[in-house]
Amino acid sequence: MKLTSFVRRWSACAILSAALLQPVWLVAAETAAEEANIAKVTASLLEQSHFAAHRYDGDLSAKFLDRYLDSLDGTHSLFLESDVAEFGPYRSDLEQLTLKEGDISPAQKIFTRYLERLEQRATYVTNVLAREQFEFAGHDTYSLDRRHAPRPRDLAAAEQLWHQQLRYEYLQEKLSKKKPAEIVTTLTKRYERTLRMMKQYGGDQVFETYLNALAHVYDPHSDYLGRRQLEEFDIAMRLSLFGIGAQLQYDDGYCKIRELLPGGPALAGGLIKPGDRIVAVAQDGKEPVDIIEMPLADAVQLIRGPKGTKVTLTLIPADAADSSVRKTVTLVRDEIRLEKQEAQARIVDWPVRRGETLRLGVIDLPSFYVGEKTTDGGHTDATSDVIKLIKKLKAEGIQGLILDLRPNGGGSLDEAIRLSGLFIKSGPIVQTKDSDGDVSVSRDPDPSELYDGPMVVLTSRASASASEILAGALQDYGRAVIVGDTSTFGKGTVQNMILLGPLMRRFGLDGGDNPGALKLTIREFYRPGGSSTQLKGVASDIVLPSPLSVLKIGEGEMDDCLPWDKVAAAKYDKLDLVSPYLAELRARSARRVAHNEDFIWLREDIVRAKQRFDQPVMLNETLRRREIAQQEGREKVREHARAHRRPSEEVQYEITLQDVSQPGLPAPMNVVATNASVTVTNHPMDNLALADPFADDKDKDPTADITLEETKRILANYIELMERQSPVASR
């Protein structure tokens, strides 16, 4: 959405309430700190311009306190009931303190108590580890999900809770075959490191957490972004940053090189490698700054910088004989394109009969990103990149297209509208309603249709916002078959990024060099047919078993989300390219899924996970080892079955944005026949595969993605049925 429309509305609000708001803010500017001014402006914007049009009253004040407490102690294991009672007066005072006085002292007072409890926990855990011999022969349990659990009554109750948490963590380490002394060292360092990192939490980070809690009272997608978060948001939208081109991670007090990015100075220089640890950072002509034990976010800020500037790193080489070895490397910062997060494509020659194949195209779109003009006059936004890929796929003769939006959490609304328009000739894409109830219609800006062939949109419970706009529009038009989880995420709201600096300067308020921004929910969006995707998401035409069905993911799982509703349908010409074939496509897919070995295993794993998801974890070593042995036995059976499968006959070609201008196809990818399944050993929250089932495996094994494999079969059936112009019995 354009900022100008908001500014016009803000101007009207300011004129109507100038007598009330402006004098208060001007007094605050003269007498209060920068953060007080930022807090008042943020609270006023939320009250005046949020879609919900909710006055900042006592109810919101009470929720604000709860959200801030939960943002620090989401497991309800640190703050005591007496702490919450002590902070009780804030339930009615935060409105006055924040909106009218700009007093943000509650943030630091509560955070100070949080650090006190955190230190008490670290001391308690250290003492227990030093004296106790842990046994796991009983029937006690530990609940991992404590979001709605009561807080400890007193310190004694908290220590009982900490003890059970420690027993759970100790058993986890023991089950991973660590020795007692090693476990004690690991856990002691873990708790010490957590305390140390939180003590280094800067005042600006506490302030940002506090205002974020306020924004989340209005809805889960309104956010306050401080300077650092605003920079990260900009990087995510532009898919580029200025730095050395290295992914970093925190490792036991050190800033460690995790990966070198293509095209970056770190990789090009050849003097840095993964595993190197950075111990000091020096700007050009300045003394080095020691970054050992420095929070990773602070270290990253020192390493990043404007294009063309120099930075000198002091490193402990990964292959050094001991940690006393040092070397220095000077690099010139450059712009780094995050190519792994750009749109990519594959061409699949899919065997359908002996000697006969279908050529399918697959486009992976991780987000609806935007960018600046390139040196050749082009653009780096999602739509421009997808256009290039589709043109290449068409030139290579694809007969059907899969658009994979499973991990796509959204991005630019304008990009969602433009990209949706690639698949229809003209018509409305999305409707939006503001807080006054006024509905506007956004239409396909381009009357041409880039791709008009058979199409499947692959979604998941993680597909959100802009992804839902595209999937919902193409489903309403009957343009594409939607395949995936039962439904998408259910985020049907539109946010505007409001830079606070210009606004504060307009009213003469001092907010410092960069007061950040407010990502503010200002509208709700609706499909061409009138239904909102809020809460309900976009339901799949064909539902496939999914590990995400186990996890509590989606808008409905979030606090203070806005309700679902609908508006009148817009006028559009329905293409109806799906409904004539949908019953047969569902029937064929259901038969395959019912007999597919990988889906059978996945359904078994999902059943086990659901049985355990809401149950506490058993702290009985014998029972846990038995479960692990059973799971290992299942995995051996599965591995044996995979090893004896017939080799895949499909041929795949990877197409990157760098390949689109090259003639012909690159060398085919190495396709193997092993399909991955999702396993659950003890508790679904311990299983990373459940949380991210479509991340790295696709790159390592093109056929490891069983959902995509079935989607290819659905597309192949769809092509066949469309060619015959009527549903037929399955082969």
Side-chain angles (χ1 to χ4, degrees), residues 135-152:
E135 298 292 338
F136 301 98
H139 299 284
D140 56 329
T141 61
Y142 177 70
S143 177
L144 291 176
D145 186 0
R146 288 186 46 81
R147 292 173 300 168
H148 304 295
R151 297 187 187 276

Side-chain angles (χ1 to χ4, degrees), residues 56 76-77 158 359:
Y56 187 10
H76 290 198
S77 60
R359 174 156 284 189

